[in-house]
Amino acid sequence: MEKKGRKAPPSHYSVKIQSFSLFSKNSLGKYESEEFEAADYKWNLIIYPNGNENADGQDHVSIYLVLRDQSSLPAGEDVNAIVNFYVYNFLEDEYITTQDSSVRRFNVLKSDWGVSKFLDHATLNDPSKGYLIDDTCVFGVDVFVLNTKIKGECITMLEVPRVVSHSWKFDKFSGADLISYCSQPFFAGNYKWKIKFYPNGCGESHGTAISLFLNLDLSSLSTSSNHKVLAKFTLRVKDSKNGKLYQRPEGLSHWYAFSNSCCAWGFSHFLPLARFKDPSVGFLGNDSCILEADVEVLGVVAPLRK
């Protein structure tokens, strides 16, 4: 691996070893540094003075960087970093570093990365090379954590969506004094829905038609702006007298999202009030009406996670 010198010491962590000859005999094979921080993550520097034999590092100094507390990372998340190891050259007054711009990935399954043949013992022990003076040497590491959190979204379509039907009996229509009413919540595709009813209409249809909407309960979505639900639905009013149904339309599809503040879709002009109240039709019987919805969740958009 190519190495290059620089005057500045390692910016993240250094280990100075005095009496290296004794250290190599009595270090139990490897030495693990105290924890240090880089980009809000905790790390350890591990040095094998006699080489990591499991990685064919005999007759060398092996050096590794270890990510601590990797179990706290969300499932599937990586910490990506550029890692450069150093050894101090006393004669040149320079820190010799590995020149490697490769991005190393640390995660639950792979928490360490290093160089098994970082510095051979022959070079280290040669006084003319300048790495071991008065039986003292210095190793270190720089850790440049990359901001690799990808902004995006993941679309998942359901192969076998299930239609959920909900019926709501609205009583005492003549006494309705609120602008709108909502049914009891019901679940479709693991999301919570409600039928929203405006007895006297809303918007431009106020006073001329009833308005009917399908609402997605905001608590069903995360606050992420790219969490969406694709639903196909049909809204109906039942003609109890003639056993018929009035619906508009059959199979309307809409993407519901948290950014849509009301999370509602439907019809401000669903059915003219005059027809709705016509006693010969049967939508309104005994001052009650039956409102229905069929809901089928077709797909979901969630924040993209690596």
Side-chain angles (χ1 to χ4, degrees):
M1 184 176 294
E2 182 185 357
K3 294 184 175 70
K4 185 178 180 180
R6 76 173 198 184
K7 294 295 183 181
S11 60
H12 286 114
Y13 208 77
S14 297
V15 175
K16 182 178 182 180
I17 305 173
Q18 296 177 322
S19 301
F20 180 81
S21 57
L22 294 176
F23 174 77
S24 62
K25 294 178 181 179
N26 302 304
S27 63
L28 301 177
K30 69 176 182 180
Y31 175 76
E32 183 173 313
S33 75
E34 293 295 317
E35 288 185 355
F36 62 93
E37 287 193 7
D40 297 325
Y41 295 98
K42 295 185 183 298
W43 311 82
N44 289 113
L45 186 64
I46 294 183
I47 299 172
Y48 293 78
N50 296 311
N52 181 3
E53 295 183 359
N54 294 326
D56 195 27
Q58 297 91 331
D59 300 320
H60 287 75
V61 174
S62 302
I63 189 167
Y64 291 82
L65 178 70
V66 179
L67 175 65
R68 310 306 303 179
D69 297 328
Q70 67 274 10
S71 60
S72 63
L73 292 175
E77 183 170 312
D78 300 322
V79 176
N80 296 285
I82 296 174
V83 180
N84 287 316
F85 296 111
Y86 295 80
V87 60
Y88 183 60
N89 188 303
F90 290 88
L91 298 181
E92 300 293 336
D93 190 23
E94 286 186 335
Y95 289 86
I96 308 302
T97 175
T98 54
Q99 292 297 291
D100 186 1
S101 60
S102 301
V103 177
R104 306 299 173 183
R105 182 173 295 177
F106 298 83
N107 52 43
V108 174
L109 298 178
K110 177 65 176 176
S111 62
D112 67 313
W113 181 81
V115 183
S116 61
K117 295 183 178 181
F118 179 68
L119 184 64
D120 64 90
H121 284 171
T123 300
L124 177 65
N125 291 312
D126 186 343
S128 67
K129 300 296 183 181
Y131 296 115
L132 188 65
I133 300 296
D134 295 329
D135 208 19
T136 298
C137 53
V138 180
F139 297 94
V141 65
D142 276 344
V143 187
F144 303 97
V145 176
L146 306 180
N147 183 12
T148 55
K149 292 184 177 179
I150 298 175
K151 294 182 178 180
E153 53 193 56
C154 178
I155 303 172
T156 303
M157 302 302 293
L158 279 65
E159 294 185 6
V160 187
R162 185 172 70 92
V163 178
V164 175
S165 298
H166 183 71
S167 181
W168 174 31
K169 184 180 180 183
F170 185 86
D171 294 317
K172 300 179 181 180
F173 177 85
S174 61
D177 56 359
L178 299 180
I179 295 175
S180 66
Y181 296 83
C182 285
S183 71
Q184 289 295 313
F186 61 97
F187 285 88
N190 295 322
Y191 294 91
K192 188 186 294 186
W193 306 87
K194 297 177 183 179
I195 300 172
K196 191 169 188 178
F197 178 42
Y198 291 78
N200 289 299
C202 65
E204 295 181 356
S205 297
H206 180 69
T208 63
I210 63 169
S211 303
L212 204 59
F213 296 87
L214 178 68
N215 274 38
L216 174 62
D217 193 308
L218 286 175
S219 66
S220 296
L221 293 178
S222 72
T223 55
S224 170
S225 60
N226 55 359
H227 189 176
K228 306 173 187 175
V229 178
L230 176 61
K232 180 180 179 181
F233 64 92
T234 301
L235 296 172
R236 291 189 294 268
V237 178
K238 189 172 183 179
D239 179 349
S240 301
K241 182 176 181 179
N242 301 300
K244 297 180 180 180
L245 296 171
Y246 178 82
Q247 62 186 38
R248 290 189 57 196
E250 183 172 2
L252 176 66
S253 294
H254 178 68
W255 281 105
Y256 287 83
F258 189 87
S259 56
N260 300 340
S261 57
C262 63
C263 272
W265 198 252
F267 305 91
S268 59
H269 193 101
F270 185 80
L271 181 64
L273 268 172
R275 186 181 177 193
F276 178 74
K277 294 179 179 180
D278 187 345
S280 67
V281 178
F283 292 126
L284 196 59
N286 296 322
D287 206 27
S288 299
C289 62
I290 296 176
L291 310 173
E292 297 180 345
D294 289 343
V295 183
E296 185 178 9
V297 174
L298 303 179
V300 176
V301 174
L304 181 64
R305 300 191 183 277
K306 288 187 60 209

